[in-house]
C-alpha cells in the first residue's frame, strides 16, 4: 500500500502567510492528503493553523519545529500541543557533523527533546541535510553514527534529495531505516548543490523516486517539498502529484486526470 501524500509548507510559505485558508484549500483540491507545518504557527498562532488545516480537510502529518530542549523547550511544546502535532521534526546544524564527538553532543540535545516530548505524549523525528552523508569517519557515515547515538524513540524523516547530494543512495537508506522512517521529503532536481539547486516537479529531475518509494519501510507519508522553483509553485505541486499518484507511488484523495481512461 503506498504512503499518503502531503506538502511541506515551506514550499508555499509566502502564499500561506498571505492567505492561509486559501492556500490550504488549493492544496486539498489537488488531492494532497496532509501538510507538514513550517513557519505558520509563529505567524498565525497554533489555534488558527489547527482550525485551518481541519477546515481544509487535511491531516497534520507533523510539525517542523525546533527541538524542545534547553530553556525554550516548554514554549515549543506548548505551541505544538495546541496545534495538535504528534510528531515534531527538526535537524542538527552542519557543524555538528564535524567530528564523532560533535555528533554525540548534538544527539544529546535531540535525546533531551525526545524525553521532554514524551512527557506530553509527543515524539521527535530527525530530518537530515547533506552533511550527515558527506561526512565520513573511519569508513562510517556521520548519519550512521548519529542514529546509533539517538534514543530509540526518535523517528526519522528522510530528506532523500539531500541524502543523494551527500553521496548516498536514497533507496538503500530508506530500506536500511526500516520501521524507524515515518516520513520522506520528496523533492527533485539536479542534486549537485545545496545552496544553488533549482527544484523541478517530481519525476523531472535526477532522483529515482520509483525505486526509493517502493522499497519496504515504515514510511507513512511522502511529503513534497519544492524549493527555488523557476515555475509557478502550484503548477509544480500539481505536476508532482500527478507523477507520484498517477504512477501509484503515493496515495492521494483524487485520481489524476492523466490516470483516468
Amino acid at each position: 500500500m503506498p504512503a499518503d501524500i502531503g506538502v511541506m509548507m515551506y514550499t508555499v510559505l509566502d502564499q500561506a502567510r498571505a492567505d492561509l485558508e486559501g492556500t490550504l484549500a488549493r492544496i486539498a483540491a489537488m488531492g494532497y492528503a496532509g501538510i507538514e507545518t513550517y513557519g505558520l504557527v509563529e505567524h498565525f498562532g497554533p489555534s488558527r493553523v489547527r482550525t485551518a488545516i481541519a477546515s481544509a480537510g487535511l491531516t497534520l502529518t507533523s510539525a517542523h519545529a525546533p527541538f524542545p530542549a534547553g530553556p525554550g523547550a516548554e514554549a515549543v511544546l506548548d505551541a505544538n500541543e495546541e496545534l495538535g502535532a504528534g510528531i515534531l521534526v527538526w535537524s542538527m546544524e552542519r557543524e555538528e557533523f564535524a567530528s564523532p564527538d560533535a555528533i554525540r553532543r548534538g544527539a544529546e540535545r535531540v535525546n533531551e527533546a525526545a524525553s521532554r516530548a514524551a512527557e506530553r505524549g509527543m515524539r521527535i523525528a530527525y530530518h537530515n541535510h547533506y552533511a550527515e552523508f558527506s561526512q565520513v569517519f573511519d569508513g562510517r557515515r556521520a548519519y550512521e553514527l548519529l542514529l546509533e547515538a539517538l534514543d530509540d524513540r526518535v523517528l526519522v524523516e528522510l530528506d532523500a534529495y539531500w541524502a543523494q547530494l551527500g553521496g548516498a543512495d536514497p533507496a538503500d537508506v530508506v530500506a536500511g531505516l526500516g520501521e524507524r522512517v515515518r516520513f520522506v521529503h520528496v523533492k527533485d532536481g539536479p542534486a549537485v548543490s545545496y545552496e544553488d539547486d533549482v527544484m523541478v516537479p517530481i519525476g523531472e529531475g535526477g532522483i529515482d523516486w520509483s525505486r526509493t518509494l517502493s522499497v519496504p519501510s515504515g514510511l507513512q507519508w511522502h511529503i513534497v517539498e519544492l524549493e527555488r522553483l523557476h515555475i509557478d509553485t502550484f503548477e509544480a505541486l500539481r505536476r508532482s502529484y500527478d507523477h507520484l499518484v498517477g504512477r501509484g507511488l503515493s496515495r492521494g484523495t483524487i485520481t489524476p486526470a492523466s490516470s483516468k481512461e
Side-chain angles (χ1 to χ4, degrees):
M1 178 72 70
D4 291 320
I5 189 169
V7 174
M8 206 292 191
M9 291 301 290
Y10 182 81
T11 305
V12 289
L13 184 58
D14 291 342
Q15 295 90 334
R17 284 178 171 171
D19 179 7
L20 176 62
E21 289 77 11
T23 299
L24 292 174
R26 290 187 71 176
I27 289 171
M30 290 183 200
Y32 286 95
I35 61 106
E36 179 175 85
T37 57
Y38 181 97
L40 300 181
V41 170
E42 299 85 348
H43 193 78
F44 294 107
S47 179
R48 180 175 171 185
V49 175
R50 182 173 185 166
T51 298
I53 293 169
S55 296
L58 293 164
T59 296
L60 174 62
T61 67
S62 43
H64 216 71
F67 292 128
E74 294 307 307
V76 172
L77 290 168
D78 287 345
N80 285 284
E81 189 172 55
E82 187 176 352
L83 176 65
I87 299 176
L88 310 184
V89 188
W90 202 246
S91 309
M92 284 164 46
E93 301 299 324
R94 192 182 310 179
E95 56 268 23
E96 292 181 285
F97 294 96
S99 70
D101 283 344
I103 294 169
R104 283 190 288 270
R105 289 193 298 271
E108 289 176 0
R109 187 173 81 260
V110 185
N111 291 340
E112 178 192 338
S115 294
R116 290 190 178 223
E119 294 172 358
R120 304 282 193 105
M122 303 159 78
R123 297 190 73 172
I124 297 299
Y126 184 83
H127 175 90
N128 66 282
H129 291 99
Y130 74 92
E132 291 89 332
F133 296 93
S134 63
Q135 293 288 85
V136 179
F137 304 97
D138 294 328
R140 303 180 72 199
R141 282 198 166 103
Y143 195 62
E144 183 181 350
L145 301 179
L146 173 65
L147 292 177
E148 287 182 356
L150 289 178
D151 189 303
D152 289 341
R153 292 175 293 185
V154 178
L155 301 171
V156 169
E157 176 178 84
L158 181 73
D159 191 309
Y161 188 90
W162 297 137
Q164 178 156 318
L165 181 68
D169 181 321
D172 288 347
V173 177
V174 170
L177 288 167
E179 293 300 314
R180 195 172 190 178
V181 61
R182 297 294 179 85
F183 314 104
V184 60
H185 270 196
V186 182
K187 61 182 73 169
D188 220 336
V192 295
S193 170
Y194 184 76
E195 288 80 13
D196 301 321
D197 274 6
V198 174
M199 306 300 169
V200 299
I202 308 306
E204 300 178 24
I207 309 296
D208 184 354
W209 286 111
S210 293
R211 180 166 166 262
T212 299
L213 299 181
S214 299
V215 297
S217 72
L219 282 174
Q220 296 178 359
W221 284 95
H222 300 158
I223 303 176
V224 176
E225 181 184 29
L226 300 171
E227 309 164 36
R228 297 188 290 272
L229 289 162
H230 282 172
I231 64 172
D232 176 76
T233 302
F234 289 105
E235 171 65 12
L237 285 173
R238 183 192 64 77
R239 282 156 60 177
S240 297
Y241 181 92
D242 286 354
H243 178 84
L244 292 165
V245 178
R247 285 161 178 76
L249 299 175
S250 305
R251 182 173 56 193
T253 65
I254 296 171
T255 301
S258 59
S259 299
K260 298 176 182 176
E261 296 183 359

